[in-house]
Amino acid sequence: MEELTAQMIAEQEAAGIDIVTDGHAGWPDLLRPFAETWAGIEVGGLLRWFDNNTYYRRPVCVAPVEWRGPSSVDAFRFASSVATRPVKAIVPGPVTFARLSVDEHYRDHSQFVMAVAQVLAQEAFELVAAGARHIQIDEPALLQAPNDLPLAQRALGLVVAEIGSAEVTIATYFGDALGLGRELFDLPGDVVGVDLVSGPANLELIKGAPSGTKLQAGIVDARNTRLESVEGLAAMIDAIETAIDDDDLRLSPSAGLEFLPREKARAKLERLGEVAQRVGK
């Protein structure tokens, strides 16, 4: 796993990616490393991962959720030891973890979300202590649960409070965030991530973003092997920059690249690097 991680980091750096990840070589899915570590959570049966042809094992909460040690810190430390560029740590958001789990203990959605937030806050603290300066909190399930937005504000605020000066990205994907409206940009954190492939309507939402919003724009399709043209991506960036200042814009795949064969994922990153160089990012 460490050898594969080192290879994937080298591929990201060769493609021109400025902030890399460890590639999650050892993660069966976004939730599993945490579900297997926390007290009170058991790993359940298979369920489809959103609208993808992949599956995850659904966490089942059977007792109070409690911290039993870090879930992702060792992987972050190793990635940092072999990377020459900053490494972004990634954790699931509290709403997404709760929405994709079965709660047999709290039997109250808000209590469950806040309990998850408490242990994620400890994970974030440990990541920062290990040297993380970029942390991404993935909240794709929030797009299908806009009524959870006030709860997400509270829960994410609890996590972000433990991160201090590290930069926090709140990432949404697999659809548009129109149901959340401009309040999406009020979520705690420094950068807001949106998927402009599965959610092209996000472009209209971006146009209403408050001044100074920092955006992570998912412009390369992470779920389709077809390679985008540099010209098409550059045109999309031009459209985004009518609303977001160049200095506040980051480019990324629309989601994680685990849905693609490795050589296709590498080609997507290389294309992202090409268009970034072309537009001067």
Side-chain angles (χ1 to χ4, degrees), residues 147-193:
N147 290 339
D148 274 358
L149 187 58
L151 178 59
Q153 288 271 10
R154 287 195 291 131
L156 290 169
L158 193 65
V159 179
V160 171
E162 296 297 330
I163 293 177
S165 61
E167 183 183 74
V168 179
T169 299
I170 309 296
T172 64
Y173 44 87
F174 299 152
D176 67 65
L178 295 184
L180 303 176
R182 289 190 52 166
E183 286 78 7
L184 170 69
F185 303 109
D186 295 331
L187 289 173
D190 305 292
V191 184
V192 176

Side-chain angles (χ1 to χ4, degrees), residues 26-44 57-60 66-71 97:
W27 289 25
D29 57 66
L30 175 66
L31 310 184
R32 186 88 68 84
F34 305 89
E36 291 179 338
T37 305
W38 298 344
I41 299 290
E42 295 179 354
V43 177
R57 289 201 174 273
R58 199 172 191 186
V60 181
E66 295 177 355
W67 174 258
R68 285 197 309 198
S71 306
F97 191 96

Side-chain angles (χ1 to χ4, degrees), residues 2 9 74-84 87:
E2 289 184 347
I9 289 173
D74 287 346
F76 171 79
R77 283 200 180 103
F78 175 78
S80 297
S81 75
V82 297
T84 64
V87 177

Side-chain angles (χ1 to χ4, degrees), residues 23 25 32-33 37 43 47 54 61 83-84 90 103 106 117 131 139-140 167 172 177 186 215 226 234 272 276:
R32 186 88 68 84
T37 305
V43 177
L47 197 67
T54 56
C61 179
T84 64
I90 299 178
D103 174 18
Y106 297 95
E139 281 287 23
E167 183 183 74
T172 64
D186 295 331
L215 185 76
R226 182 185 63 81
L272 193 62

Side-chain angles (χ1 to χ4, degrees), residues 60-271:
V60 181
C61 179
V62 297
V65 182
E66 295 177 355
W67 174 258
R68 285 197 309 198
S71 306
S72 60
V73 173
D74 287 346
F76 171 79
R77 283 200 180 103
F78 175 78
S80 297
S81 75
V82 297
T84 64
R85 299 184 183 179
V87 177
K88 178 191 287 186
I90 299 178
V91 300
V95 168
T96 291
F97 191 96
R99 282 278 173 189
L100 299 184
S101 302
V102 177
D103 174 18
E104 295 181 351
H105 172 71
Y106 297 95
R107 301 187 185 278
D108 179 281
H109 179 58
S110 295
Q111 288 186 29
F112 185 28
V113 169
M114 295 307 294
V116 170
Q118 288 278 2
V119 290
L120 283 172
Q122 183 66 38
E123 184 77 14
F125 176 85
E126 297 291 342
L127 283 165
V128 172
R133 294 296 172 262
H134 300 272
I135 297 178
Q136 178 169 303
I137 304 174
D138 281 12
E139 281 287 23
L142 189 57
L143 300 184
Q144 286 79 48
N147 290 339
D148 274 358
L149 187 58
L151 178 59
Q153 288 271 10
R154 287 195 291 131
L156 290 169
L158 193 65
V159 179
V160 171
E162 296 297 330
I163 293 177
S165 61
E167 183 183 74
V168 179
T169 299
I170 309 296
T172 64
Y173 44 87
F174 299 152
D176 67 65
L178 295 184
L180 303 176
R182 289 190 52 166
E183 286 78 7
L184 170 69
F185 303 109
D186 295 331
L187 289 173
D190 305 292
V191 184
V192 176
V194 296
D195 177 353
L196 289 161
V197 177
S198 298
N202 279 328
L203 183 58
E204 291 304 312
L205 187 64
I206 292 168
K207 291 178 180 177
S211 176
T213 296
K214 294 183 179 179
L215 185 76
Q216 178 175 290
I219 61 171
V220 171
D221 194 340
R223 300 191 285 175
N224 191 315
T225 58
R226 182 185 63 81
L227 192 60
E228 295 85 349
S229 70
V230 172
E231 293 74 17
L233 293 174
M236 184 181 297
I237 294 167
D238 286 342
I240 296 168
E241 287 183 337
T242 62
I244 300 293
D245 290 340
D246 179 71
D247 291 342
D248 293 330
L249 177 62
R250 292 184 177 174
L251 308 177
S252 73
S254 59
L257 293 167
E258 64 268 23
F259 309 102
L260 301 179
R262 185 172 164 192
E263 65 276 8
K264 297 294 185 181
R266 183 167 58 245
K268 292 278 185 171
L269 292 174
E270 290 169 349
R271 183 52 47 90

Side-chain angles (χ1 to χ4, degrees), residues 14-33:
I17 304 303
D18 297 312
I19 303 173
V20 302
T21 74
D22 69 358
H24 298 160
W27 289 25
D29 57 66
L30 175 66
L31 310 184
R32 186 88 68 84

